[in-house]
């Protein structure tokens, strides 16, 4: 609960730190605070800077019965623009981990509850555009699940410590596209590079690079 989450803005100018009860945005060069917000009894489980500089926060109440939500916060005007509570069947307070597509149009929300669920929303948090039940072999809470979106958000790759397969999903049709077999589990660190290849860390050490067969043109920043 007390661990600090960190995110760097895409222009490398600002650093956001989220923990129990608050979020602080700092100048990445001087490390001087430029904005902050109090979260009350909430704590941050994940955060990221959107391409336009807004912060997207995944929060969870410290109370056992409290909800989990995703919020868009404009730290420059100190305004909360939107808060959503993505529903999960049988889960009233999931722990969300966030990632986004390189074009900034899709936000991925990975539920750490089991069975693991990947939910895709539009950048404005106006509506859900896709949902996937992830095929994880073990229901152990010690598993580590990682997810990344392709630059345009139409593909997702998921990895797991206990499921050695690397899986590529169609987020538009909510279906499994590729099941890439491996002999070792993977860490939660995974991503697409600009050539469309998938790079993921191996649990025993090192990395694996897969050719996904999915061309991904460079995204201008």
């Amino acid at each position: 609960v007390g661990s600090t989450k960190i995110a760097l803005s895409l222009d490398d100018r600002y650093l956001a730190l989220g923990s129990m009860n608050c979020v602080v945005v700092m100048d990445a060069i001087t490390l001087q605070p430029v904005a902050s917000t109090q979260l009350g009894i909430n704590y941050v489980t994940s955060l990221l800077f959107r391409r336009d500089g807004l912060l997207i926060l995944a929060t969870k109440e410290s109370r056992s019965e409290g909800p989990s939500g995703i919020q868009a916060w404009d730290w420059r005007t100190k305004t909360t623009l939107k808060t959503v509570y993505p529903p999960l069947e049988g889960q009233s307070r999931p722990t969300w981990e966030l990632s986004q597509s390189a074009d900034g149009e899709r936000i991925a929300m990975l539920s750490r509850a089991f069975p693991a669920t990947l939910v895709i929303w539009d950048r404005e948090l106006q509506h859900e555009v896709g949902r996937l039940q992830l095929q994880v072999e073990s229901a152990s809470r010690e598993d580590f699940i990682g997810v990344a979106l392709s630059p345009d958000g139409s593909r997702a790759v998921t990895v797991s410590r206990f499921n050695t397969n690397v899986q590529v999903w169609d987020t538009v049709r909510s279906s499994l596209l590729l099941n890439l077999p491996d002999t070792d589990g993977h860490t939660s660190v995974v991503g697409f590079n600009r050539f469309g290849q998938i790079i993921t860390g191996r649990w025993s050490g090192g990395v694996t690079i897969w050719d996904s067969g999915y061309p991904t043109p460079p995204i201008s920043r």
Side-chain angles (χ1 to χ4, degrees):
V1 172
S3 61
T4 300
K5 306 299 179 180
I6 300 175
L8 183 66
S9 64
L10 297 180
D11 60 7
D12 299 331
R13 294 180 58 190
Y14 298 101
L15 191 66
L17 294 87
S19 60
M20 188 69 176
N21 306 124
C22 72
V23 177
V24 178
V25 178
M26 308 170 71
D27 185 296
I29 303 299
T30 66
L31 298 184
Q32 293 299 310
V34 295
S36 64
T37 184
Q38 297 296 315
L39 302 176
I41 60 174
N42 289 356
Y43 62 92
V44 176
T45 62
S46 185
L47 75 168
L48 59 83
F49 279 96
R50 220 167 59 180
R51 294 189 66 82
D52 60 3
L54 265 67
L55 266 176
I56 305 296
L57 314 173
T59 64
K60 191 173 184 177
E61 284 194 9
S62 57
R63 301 178 304 182
S64 60
E65 73 277 11
S68 302
I70 313 294
Q71 122 181 193
W73 179 50
D74 188 341
W75 53 272
R76 292 159 298 196
T77 62
K78 299 183 179 179
T79 305
T80 298
L81 302 178
K82 186 81 173 181
T83 303
V84 298
Y85 300 91
L88 278 186
E89 186 176 353
Q91 299 289 336
S92 60
R93 41 185 279 110
T95 298
W96 295 106
E97 296 287 342
L98 303 176
S99 60
Q100 66 181 327
S101 58
D103 65 5
E105 295 302 313
R106 295 288 182 264
I107 295 174
M109 307 172 186
L110 176 65
S111 163
R112 294 296 186 186
F114 289 92
T117 303
L118 177 63
V119 183
I120 313 293
W121 281 63
D122 69 296
R123 69 188 297 273
E124 303 294 341
L125 300 180
Q126 295 295 328
H127 62 277
E128 181 180 313
V129 296
R131 178 176 291 242
L132 297 163
Q133 292 292 330
L134 303 186
Q135 298 173 8
V136 179
E137 291 180 353
S138 173
S140 169
R141 295 184 181 277
E142 297 179 356
D143 201 359
F144 293 85
I145 304 169
V147 63
L149 292 179
S150 64
D152 65 0
S154 67
R155 302 289 187 269
V157 57
T158 57
V159 292
S160 167
R161 175 184 176 184
F162 293 130
N163 181 0
T164 60
N165 295 327
V166 175
Q167 296 176 314
V168 182
W169 305 82
D170 184 326
T171 61
V172 178
R173 297 175 176 84
S174 298
S175 61
L176 181 65
L177 287 177
L178 294 173
N179 202 34
L180 305 173
D182 204 349
T183 58
D184 191 13
H186 300 86
T187 68
S188 59
V189 179
V190 62
F192 285 89
N193 67 15
R194 64 189 182 94
F195 303 108
Q197 296 171 322
I198 296 167
I199 303 176
T200 184
R202 299 177 69 81
W203 187 255
S204 59
V207 299
T208 300
I209 301 177
W210 299 89
D211 185 353
S212 69
Y214 177 64
T216 54
I219 300 296
S220 60
R221 293 184 59 176

